[in-house]
Amino acid sequence: MLKKSMILLMVFILTASLATACTTSNNNNQTTDVPAAENENVNEIDYANMEAEVTFSTIFSDAEFESVIGSYVKKKFPKYTINHISNRSTPLEELITAGTKFDIYFGRASAIVNDYDRVGLTYDMTELVEKHGVDLNAFAPGFIESATFDGKLYGFPIFNDSLVLFYNRDLFDKFGISYPTDGMTWEETLDLAQELDRNDNGTQYMGLWMSPKHYFRMNSLSQGFVDPETNEATVYNDNWKRIFDIFAGLSSNSGVQQMAKENFPGHDHFRGSNKVAGMYVFITEWIAVSDVQMPLNWDMVSMPVFKDLPGKGTQPYANYAGITSISENKDAAMQVLKYLTSEEYQMEVSARGKISPLKSQKVKDIAFENHPDRDKNFGAVYVNENVPMRRLHPMEDPIVDIMNDKITEIVTGQKNVNTALREAQDMAQQAIDQELRLSQ
């Protein structure tokens, strides 16, 4: 708690110093009014061609940032000085403690709540949106709502990730099994997976795996982890049972359970040297870097859906960019964000494999045009539609960890779904209650 208090104090000092620097007054403590004519012309300032310095703090490495964002922004704004701080090498807490000012943060919607808002770094961009003429209707449904908290807009979606089902063509060919198809239900996918579950000449194969933590946060039922009104854990219910039942189904084979005990499933089971998983549900960020991340004969189809929810995909899982409360260059920062959400920029990165949050058909039509793998089913990305975002809560991360541990116990045959969920509910509530006590 002392650490959190110190972080809040540092943000307060940074914000106060910025406010002082921006305040002008006459000798008799009378504020200097801006003439009406200047007020009328405020939107005529050519922000795009003025000199400005804009600093990003993102989840990317320096090389990734330069490739996907920095090089484009520098070309668009040649008079801007663009700086980048990677959160991988410099965590947020270190930036705040050191008094480092930055203008734009980058992260998922949950990071806005869990990381930036809790230390006072978020900034309501609503007025800047109107001032700079950003069209919020250009975004597909759900994205802006997911970054709006208590009526305050804290971020724009720059890239989106959804879940798709990747599969290894070679394994299906090896065992003479038909490939998966777009629009399959979870029941159909689990039946197909069981055809692949087998031990062949001493090698155990598994038909299906998916990242538990990603699916928890993106689940198609819009099920949350905590009720924000009551701070009660919402883990032991029918929705989470439906989700946990998927993991129970994909690990029903005794050979798969034994393999999980010895080497729990993960990325390497699908794309590693062994390549023993036939299908893998994961986020679409793999597509843009498939030449590095996917050294196998792969393809993809749409993420499986619940039978009673055809066409319903995941919650938005965008990378959002927002302006910080301590930014000294908010207008320049908004110009950069306006560009990053424009058709101009989105068409550039969409052609490379990034998933756009825009409605624009022009952006969708050019998607993956410059991707090295031209024979893939890229249309799978757009088969399902987004479902509404759950109500976020700052205690989600530790609860996701608790639930992930329970999936391990299910997949290795140690616990059934009901027992695992009941225990997860109790542990989640204990964690919430402890945090509430510490924050009093």
Side-chain angles (χ1 to χ4, degrees):
M1 292 307 298
L2 179 60
K3 181 179 180 181
K4 180 176 179 180
S5 299
M6 288 299 296
I7 290 174
L8 287 168
L9 178 61
M10 290 300 299
V11 172
F12 174 79
I13 292 171
L14 284 169
T15 307
S17 63
L18 177 58
T20 301
C22 296
T23 301
T24 305
S25 62
N26 290 329
N27 290 336
N28 295 324
N29 294 324
Q30 296 175 343
T31 59
T32 302
D33 294 328
V34 179
E38 290 184 24
N39 279 334
E40 291 173 1
N41 295 330
V42 69
N43 289 325
E44 297 179 8
I45 298 174
D46 190 3
Y47 291 106
N49 289 304
M50 63 189 293
E51 292 187 356
E53 185 171 0
V54 177
T55 299
F56 285 80
S57 175
T58 81
I59 57 176
F60 303 117
S61 68
D62 289 337
E64 290 169 340
F65 174 82
E66 186 64 21
S67 173
V68 181
I69 297 175
S71 59
Y72 294 98
V73 174
K74 291 172 184 176
K75 182 178 180 181
K76 181 67 175 179
F77 303 97
K79 293 186 177 180
Y80 284 15
T81 299
I82 304 299
N83 305 312
H84 177 246
I85 303 169
S86 174
N87 297 156
R88 296 181 186 179
S89 56
T90 311
L92 177 61
E93 287 78 7
E94 288 186 17
L95 294 179
I96 296 171
T97 303
T100 303
K101 292 182 180 180
F102 55 98
D103 305 285
I104 296 174
Y105 57 73
F106 218 93
R108 307 290 185 184
S110 57
I112 295 176
V113 174
N114 297 335
D115 299 334
Y116 298 101
D117 192 50
R118 72 179 176 85
V119 295
L121 281 176
T122 49
Y123 177 78
D124 183 8
M125 303 192 300
T126 303
E127 290 186 5
L128 286 174
V129 166
E130 182 176 354
K131 179 179 179 180
H132 290 267
V134 179
D135 181 11
L136 299 183
N137 290 320
F139 297 100
F143 287 109
I144 293 300
E145 294 84 349
S146 298
T148 303
F149 303 91
D150 297 325
K152 299 175 181 179
L153 177 60
Y154 289 151
F156 293 153
I158 309 299
F159 315 121
N160 186 41
D161 279 310
S162 58
L163 292 174
V164 292
L165 188 150
F166 295 98
Y167 66 94
N168 184 338
R169 290 169 172 166
D170 290 340
L171 282 189
F172 280 85
D173 293 342
K174 175 183 177 69
F175 298 117
I177 300 172
S178 298
Y179 297 154
T181 58
D182 288 332
M184 292 177 64
T185 65
W186 280 115
E187 290 82 0
E188 291 169 334
T189 306
L190 289 172
D191 287 344
L192 183 60
Q194 288 175 4
E195 294 185 50
L196 278 168
D197 289 338
R198 65 182 69 197
N199 190 296
D200 183 70
N201 293 323
T203 299
Q204 179 64 49
Y205 294 91
M206 68 183 306
L208 172 68
W209 184 246
M210 68 174 171
S211 169
K213 289 186 176 182
H214 283 93
Y215 192 74
F216 290 165
R217 292 189 173 99
M218 302 171 70
N219 73 82
S220 303
L221 303 176
S222 303
Q223 176 60 55
F225 305 88
V226 187
D227 184 333
E229 304 297 331
T230 64
N231 288 318
E232 296 292 326
T234 56
V235 174
Y236 190 57
N237 57 45
D238 289 341
N239 280 345
W240 281 119
K241 184 179 185 304
R242 295 182 74 180
I243 294 167
F244 271 46
D245 280 342
I246 297 171
F247 288 92
L250 62 81
S251 60
S252 59
N253 180 279
S254 60
V256 170
Q257 291 182 8
Q258 183 58 39
M259 180 181 70
K261 291 177 182 178
E262 298 170 0
N263 183 14
F264 197 77
H267 294 348
D268 288 343
H269 286 68
F270 179 71
R271 64 181 191 184
S273 57
N274 291 331
K275 299 181 179 63
V276 294
M279 297 178 285
Y280 197 104
V281 175
F282 197 62
I283 55 178
T284 49
E285 72 173 22
W286 269 1
I287 300 172
V289 288
S290 61
D291 56 334
V292 176
Q293 301 281 10
M294 305 277 279
L296 73 162
N297 184 17
W298 67 277
D299 206 343
M300 62 182 173
V301 296
S302 58
M303 185 197 74
V305 297
F306 289 104
K307 185 164 52 178
D308 57 329
L309 296 171
K312 300 299 183 182
T314 66
Q315 299 168 58
Y317 197 61
N319 280 307
Y320 287 88
I323 298 174
T324 66
S325 60
I326 58 174
S327 170
E328 297 180 354
N329 305 296
K330 290 183 173 65
D331 286 302
M334 180 54 74
Q335 282 291 309
V336 170
L337 295 190
K338 183 178 180 180
Y339 166 66
L340 292 177
T341 56
S342 68
E343 271 193 346
E344 176 186 354
Y345 171 76
Q346 290 290 318
M347 288 179 71
E348 290 277 359
V349 293
S350 179
R352 293 177 54 182
K354 289 292 186 182
I355 312 301
S356 175
L358 299 185
K359 295 176 184 175
S360 170
Q361 192 59 47
K362 289 172 63 178
V363 174
K364 291 180 180 179
D365 288 344
I366 204 173
F368 310 106
E369 190 172 274
N370 297 331
H371 196 280
D373 294 311
R374 299 298 301 153
D375 63 334
K376 307 306 181 188
N377 177 31
F378 293 123
V381 172
Y382 302 109
V383 170
N384 296 326
E385 63 182 26
N386 284 341
V387 299
M389 190 73 172
R390 68 193 180 281
R391 298 177 69 190
L392 296 171
H393 191 280
M395 278 296 293
E396 284 190 0
D397 285 353
I399 295 175
V400 168
D401 290 338
I402 290 169
M403 296 172 70
N404 189 63
D405 290 342
K406 293 302 171 184
I407 289 297
T408 300
E409 295 176 347
I410 291 171
V411 172
T412 54
Q414 300 175 60
K415 298 277 176 67
N416 61 39
V417 167
N418 284 332
T419 300
L421 279 175
R422 187 173 61 251
E423 292 178 354
Q425 172 74 21
D426 292 342
M427 295 171 68
Q429 194 60 55
Q430 290 173 15
I432 295 168
D433 292 342
Q434 181 179 9
E435 179 64 22
L436 291 174
R437 285 194 298 271
L438 291 173
S439 62
Q440 291 176 350

